[in-house]
Amino acid sequence: MKTYLVGGAVRDKLLGYPFHERDWVVVGALPEDLLKQDFQQVGKDFPVFLHPSSKEEYALARTERKSGAGYHGFVCDFSPNITLEDDLSRRDLTINAMAEDDNGDIIDPYGGMNDLNNHILRHVSPAFSEDPLRILRVARFAARYAHLGFTVAKETKDLMCAMSDNGELSTIAAERIWVELYKALKEQSPAAFFTVLLDCRALHALFPLWPPALNTAVLDSVARAADLNMDADIRFAIACSALNVDHCKILCSELRASNSAAWLAERFSANIPLSSLSNNEEWLALLEAFDYARRPQHLEAFIAATTLLIPEEDRLGQLQLAAATLRDIKPAEFIAQGFNGPELGRALRAEKIRHLAELGCGV
Ligand code: ATP
Ligand code: MG
């Protein structure tokens, strides 16, 4: 029995990029051999184990063969005669198909080192097309490594285009898409995720409403938001900002977007230039739509993102000041004056409108 470090840890070590988990492959062993050494089995469909002390994942070397349509149609073979090279051949990209033995030597049967040095995301074999989730993974790796100069190999892009065009993507569960998308949004170059998916028509196949709303200005703003370290919900909301509200709602529901991301995206897609707010009631409605009192960070996010999306918008400072002023209105003071029930609500509202007028909002 022999054990090798595989996958992301080998790739990131060679790249000098930080990594947070290590995956191992075990060659020449039966499940019983690992169970005898107190490994704990976690995989249902194939034997993956947790190391008794490090809790890192150890998988028996295996091959996978597609059988039938859909995501679950894989047959695994994890008999002890499966070689390391067999196991590496089922992996998505050459840079993910390298292993390191316990002497620190690299096993690289598919040219991963060369592609790593040349900054190329290239599929290992035509079996890539058996799992459409790999398209999203490639786009996510592009988002992670674009700043290092990584691009998708021409033949991989061609294969991804063909997969998108023949309807493969419809077999991916929406939850999986959201997981990949959200991970990609957190990466250094989230705009690259969208660019890769647009280039191979995957986004057209998955969410036809979205591509027309991902114009250059929107993608540049997503990139800027990442440069400014804005959080993933804001990056997502910016990516949705050129959709109309109805389309945004459809997209968020199809994507199974988290509540917080969908909430913010809907507000961004309703994004009205502040100059079109003609009276104090409309200013108050916008502030309340952002739940300015309870979720100040969302209004901050809107202001920061609008600065990117609409550089000529010159009333953002006023919006910020208005929110801060209204947050200082304390219901307790009105209650102390004897207001309650609907009357309290009316008095508070009148006070807010009065402050907005004083600030010169609704002109
Ligand atoms: P990360 O740094 O995001 O963890 P990773 O490359 O380690 O990146 P994992 O999802 O942890 O990605 O998977 C570990 C390895 O398993 C990958 O490097 C790849 O070799 C293989 N792998 C994972 N998912 C797939 C897939 N859908 N198709 C083919 N190979 C895959
Ligand atoms: Mg990993």
Side-chain angles (χ1 to χ4, degrees), residues 6-9 11-12 19-23 137 140-141 144 183:
V6 285
R11 174 197 69 221
D12 287 336
F19 60 93
H20 310 286
E21 58 170 29
R22 295 194 297 175
D23 295 306
R137 286 176 52 89
R140 179 161 65 77
F141 286 119
R144 187 184 298 173
K183 279 188 188 170

Side-chain angles (χ1 to χ4, degrees), residues 277-288 292 299 315 317-327 329 348-363:
L277 300 180
S278 59
N279 58 45
N280 296 315
E281 280 74 17
E282 285 176 7
W283 273 80
L284 185 56
L286 178 73
L287 286 164
E288 285 177 343
Y292 73 94
L299 192 69
R315 302 187 75 185
Q318 203 170 6
L319 183 66
Q320 203 151 24
L321 184 60
T325 307
L326 298 202
R327 273 184 214 117
I329 300 175
L348 283 170
R349 188 176 167 83
E351 180 72 356
K352 290 172 190 169
I353 297 285
R354 192 176 67 73
H355 278 286
L356 290 171
E358 242 167 48
L359 291 170
C361 291
V363 286

